[in-house]
Amino acid sequence: MSKSRDIADSAATINFIDTVTSNVQDQLDNLDPVPTNIAGGSAGTIPYQSAADTTAMLAVGTAGQVLQTNGAAAPTWVTPAGGAMVLLQTVTASNSATVDLETAFNSTYDQYLIIAAGVKTANDGDGVLCRMKIGGSYLTTNTYTFICPFSSTSGGTFNSTSGANVAQITLVTRLGNAASRNANFAMYVNNPASTSLTKNVYFQSSSIDDSGNLLSLNGTGFNSGTSALTGIRLFGSSGNLSSGTFRLYGIVNS
């Protein structure tokens, strides 16, 4: 008699659990699907919380503006003060035949800045060179002119390298490829969107050469073309760029 009651109680318990499980599953089946998109807004708008449990959309700003927080108030788009730099592109070299900084050059800024850090070349004694994309293609013709005075810790010597009607601009000379040796430079690109001015750059670099000497180089160069400039190509004089980080900034017009 006791065993029959125990069996009946167990069966009732199992039925109850099955019923609860079935009800829970029904509730789960009736839930809305997991959202994959936010309703409302449009291309370029940014969602933010205007109050607890309330989402609003920030309208699209204009090219070159940056997002500013206003504490608990809604964020806003603002135009950076003159002289501020806006990061536009980052390229990392990894045994690269060329490093191309493109698509960001336009009339938004009158001046752009390229910062290169930790640049190494595959071949010992290589230089780091530059070509310009003018009129839609990288120019390899003898239309470049440059001059680069430099000083060295090798006996305090002062020298220069230069070229007229050549196929590239030299930014770094005789870079050593030993493990600890590298180059760093900053290069300004002026008036890239102009269709009346030659395309001018000026730059400063520091490097350790293939003999372990510290070099300090200040230079300038130009291409005689006057079409719009839309890219800068960096490459080694005889081999690949084995490493280095290259960042392109736009300098906000004052």
Side-chain angles (χ1 to χ4, degrees):
M1 190 71 174
S2 176
K3 286 184 178 181
S4 296
R5 183 179 297 278
D6 290 343
I7 292 172
D9 290 342
S10 296
T13 300
I14 292 171
N15 288 336
F16 174 77
I17 292 173
D18 286 344
T19 299
V20 171
T21 301
S22 178
N23 290 338
V24 170
Q25 187 60 54
D26 288 342
Q27 294 294 322
L28 292 175
D29 291 341
N30 290 329
L31 288 175
D32 290 334
V34 176
T36 57
N37 293 290
I38 299 175
S42 60
T45 58
I46 296 178
Y48 68 95
Q49 293 301 109
S50 59
D53 303 320
T54 305
T55 301
M57 292 288 178
L58 178 64
V60 178
T62 58
Q65 288 188 312
V66 296
L67 192 62
Q68 173 179 283
T69 180
N70 296 306
T76 52
W77 294 107
V78 297
T79 300
M85 296 196 304
V86 179
L87 178 62
L88 302 173
Q89 186 180 8
T90 301
V91 178
T92 301
S94 179
N95 197 32
S96 304
T98 65
V99 168
D100 296 342
L101 297 162
E102 295 186 324
T103 72
F105 290 101
N106 52 48
S107 60
T108 301
Y109 308 100
D110 292 334
Q111 191 174 59
Y112 292 76
L113 172 63
I114 296 171
I115 299 290
V119 180
K120 295 180 66 66
T121 53
N123 295 337
D124 200 32
D126 243 4
V128 179
L129 310 179
C130 163
R131 285 185 176 138
M132 302 178 185
K133 189 174 186 178
I134 297 176
S137 61
Y138 283 105
L139 299 185
T140 61
T141 52
N142 294 331
T143 51
Y144 297 90
T145 296
F146 73 92
I147 182 168
C148 302
F150 65 89
S151 57
S152 168
T153 53
S154 176
T157 58
F158 184 85
N159 211 326
S160 69
T161 180
S162 63
N165 301 318
V166 292
Q168 65 279 314
I169 294 170
T170 296
L171 305 176
V172 176
T173 184
R174 303 199 326 260
L175 179 59
N177 73 342
S180 62
R181 295 173 186 172
N182 66 99
N184 305 276
F185 62 84
M187 181 172 69
Y188 290 90
V189 182
N190 304 295
N191 301 301
S194 171
T195 56
S196 62
L197 300 174
T198 57
K199 299 304 173 283
N200 173 271
V201 298
Y202 59 95
F203 47 90
Q204 181 175 14
S205 69
S206 66
S207 61
I208 301 175
D209 71 11
D210 47 352
S211 298
N213 300 306
L214 176 65
L215 299 183
S216 175
L217 182 152
N218 294 274
T220 184
F222 74 91
N223 185 282
S224 58
T226 57
S227 297
L229 180 150
T230 55
I232 292 289
R233 170 169 287 176
L234 305 166
F235 58 101
S237 57
S238 68
N240 290 352
L241 298 176
S242 54
S243 63
T245 302
F246 303 81
R247 294 181 174 88
L248 174 64
Y249 297 86
I251 300 178
V252 177
N253 302 334
S254 57

